[in-house]
Amino acid sequence: MPKPIHIAVIRLSAMGDVAMTVPVLRALVLQHPEVQLTVVSRPFFKPFFNGIPNVDFFAVDLNKRHKGFAGLLRLYADLRKLNVDAVADLHNVLRSKVVRNLFALSGKKVSATDKGREAKKALTRFENKIFAPVKPMVERHCATFAELGFTIDLTNPKFPKRANLSEKIITVTGTKSEKWIGIAPFAQYESKVYPFDLMKKVIDALASDPSLKVLLFGGGEKEIQLLNQLRNSHSNVVVLAGKLKLQQELEVISNLDVMLSMDSGNAHLAAMLGVKVITLWGATHPFAGFKPFHQPDDFCITADRNEYPLLPTSVYGNKKVDGYGDVMRTILPETVVTKIKKELE
């Protein structure tokens, strides 16, 4: 048998961006079984890649061993010991550039994802805005592997089977006898979060149907308090935050019938597992290339551009624009509930 081709894949953070690489890597190894991958990322993200054949994981220690420039030299030395044939830099930031350039100087083949920054600037600028879809990130990652000689077809993706839930998980979620709706109501930036009072109306409406169960996702003490307020006294609404480890949460997500999420990491976790994902978009927009993988356009519910013509004002939601604090109020709770119920039929 010919020797496997070993590629180091660098994607250090953030959660949603790492999750978006999963369908690409799964397709790569299924379509090119001669390829062996080592994913180089933070240890927290290791469960994302469990069960994918020919994929190993290298945990980066950015707090100690691999911190700073000297740490990047150590990271390069550590990765060299793996005898990789090529490096795919899916992050393309200063840290990953240093490591990939060291590999290039040693004669290894390297490629890096073009993030399309100019096209994204044109989409989000206020004057002479070009309101058109930019190339999705998953397609950009495919182009990175094509540079290394491996074309990837994402038209008919394979997803993992629904996980069998352990007794420990079932004590939190209950046995699945209803349709399960996951809701992840938070995001890194406020401009991407659906207003609390409107989200409460969505959850109250869904909880009024006894054939549905709502599972609330989040993390941290503040979010758990807010989730408990959203839960209210509904017996068919369960707060998962703080009760399960990441691997267990992924197993629950794989059993959802639909996930409702902001433009956030949870949307991409559900999408990488083949779950239907309905997303709500405020200051950001799916045209920026971060639409969850393999989801129809009409699963993305966006704020009203007739009322707020400068949208999208940001790629990541980190810019505040005067007069645009309430853009998500143009998305009615009834619209969200109707869409979810339609996809559950």
Side-chain angles (χ1 to χ4, degrees):
M1 285 181 65
K3 176 179 172 287
I5 297 153
H6 191 178
I7 304 174
V9 180
I10 304 174
R11 177 71 239 195
L12 304 176
S13 61
M15 185 167 80
D17 295 295
V18 176
M20 272 190 285
T21 68
V22 172
V24 176
L25 302 188
R26 189 185 287 118
L28 172 62
V29 295
L30 290 176
Q31 293 166 28
H32 299 279
E34 73 278 17
V35 171
Q36 174 74 38
L37 301 178
T38 295
V39 174
V40 182
S41 193
R42 294 174 186 261
F44 179 78
F45 301 124
K46 187 174 188 292
F48 291 11
F49 304 92
N50 288 350
I52 306 177
N54 293 359
V55 174
D56 293 324
F57 190 88
F58 181 94
V60 177
D61 181 5
L62 294 174
N63 295 320
K64 291 183 180 177
R65 178 168 177 78
H66 303 127
K67 183 179 182 180
F69 184 73
L72 292 177
L73 297 178
R74 278 192 290 272
L75 176 58
Y76 167 65
D78 290 345
L79 294 176
R80 275 201 72 178
K81 293 173 188 172
L82 303 179
N83 296 317
V84 301
D85 301 297
V87 175
D89 179 2
L90 305 189
H91 203 162
N92 203 359
V93 294
L94 185 59
R95 279 174 174 153
S96 60
K97 283 178 185 175
V98 169
V99 175
R100 90 165 183 257
N101 285 334
L102 288 168
F103 273 105
L105 289 170
S106 74
K108 299 295 183 183
K109 198 168 183 180
V110 303
S111 63
T113 295
D114 172 8
K115 292 185 171 178
R117 289 187 175 91
E118 288 306 312
K120 289 172 184 173
K121 279 181 188 172
L123 174 67
T124 55
R125 67 192 178 205
F126 297 169
E127 294 182 9
N128 302 315
K129 181 187 289 287
I130 300 175
F131 185 67
V134 305
K135 189 175 182 179
M137 286 308 299
V138 289
E139 290 182 21
R140 293 179 184 278
H141 293 329
C142 287
T144 303
F145 287 105
E147 280 184 40
L148 296 177
F150 301 98
T151 57
I152 302 171
D153 182 358
L154 294 178
T155 50
N156 290 301
K158 296 276 195 304
F159 295 106
K161 292 178 181 175
R162 291 189 173 204
N164 292 318
L165 300 182
S166 66
E167 286 297 322
K168 188 171 183 181
I169 293 173
I170 290 170
T171 58
V172 177
T173 61
T175 305
K176 186 171 182 184
S177 57
E178 316 92 339
K179 293 285 180 95
W180 279 10
I181 303 164
I183 298 183
F186 304 114
Q188 185 176 3
Y189 298 108
E190 195 179 329
S191 69
K192 301 200 292 185
V193 177
Y194 197 51
F196 187 85
D197 59 313
L198 301 186
M199 182 56 79
K200 188 172 183 307
K201 288 181 179 180
V202 170
I203 292 170
D204 287 345
L206 294 171
S208 68
D209 185 339
S211 70
L212 306 178
K213 178 174 274 189
V214 177
L215 306 175
L216 300 179
F217 292 81
E221 285 304 314
K222 185 183 175 186
E223 288 189 4
I224 290 170
Q225 287 177 15
L226 292 171
L227 291 174
N228 281 318
Q229 290 176 42
L230 289 171
R231 178 184 178 269
N232 205 349
S233 57
H234 299 301
S235 60
N236 57 341
V237 179
V238 178
V239 175
L240 297 184
K243 298 175 184 175
L244 299 173
K245 293 179 179 175
L246 176 61
Q247 178 60 43
Q248 294 171 317
E249 283 204 359
L250 292 174
E251 290 169 13
V252 172
I253 290 171
S254 79
N255 279 272
L256 296 177
D257 295 284
V258 67
M259 169 71 96
L260 172 67
S261 175
M262 308 302 105
D263 167 22
S264 70
N266 280 288
H268 300 292
L269 296 185
M272 78 182 191
L273 296 171
V275 174
K276 290 181 178 182
V277 189
I278 294 166
T279 40
L280 306 183
W281 302 75
T284 60
H285 197 279
F287 276 12
F290 296 100
K291 185 182 84 167
F293 176 68
H294 205 60
Q295 303 293 322
D297 290 345
D298 67 348
F299 280 23
C300 300
I301 304 175
T302 56
D304 188 346
R305 291 193 71 249
N306 291 321
E307 195 171 333
Y308 294 98
L310 296 181
L311 291 174
T313 57
S314 168
V315 173
Y316 302 109
N318 53 342
K319 292 179 186 172
K320 287 195 173 182
V321 178
D322 288 343
Y324 274 61
D326 285 336
V327 298
M328 281 192 116
R329 289 194 173 275
T330 62
I331 301 173
L332 300 179
E334 295 79 10
T335 303
V336 180
V337 173
T338 300
K339 184 61 182 170
I340 291 171
K341 290 197 167 184
K342 180 174 180 284
E343 297 312 321
L344 287 173
E345 288 173 2

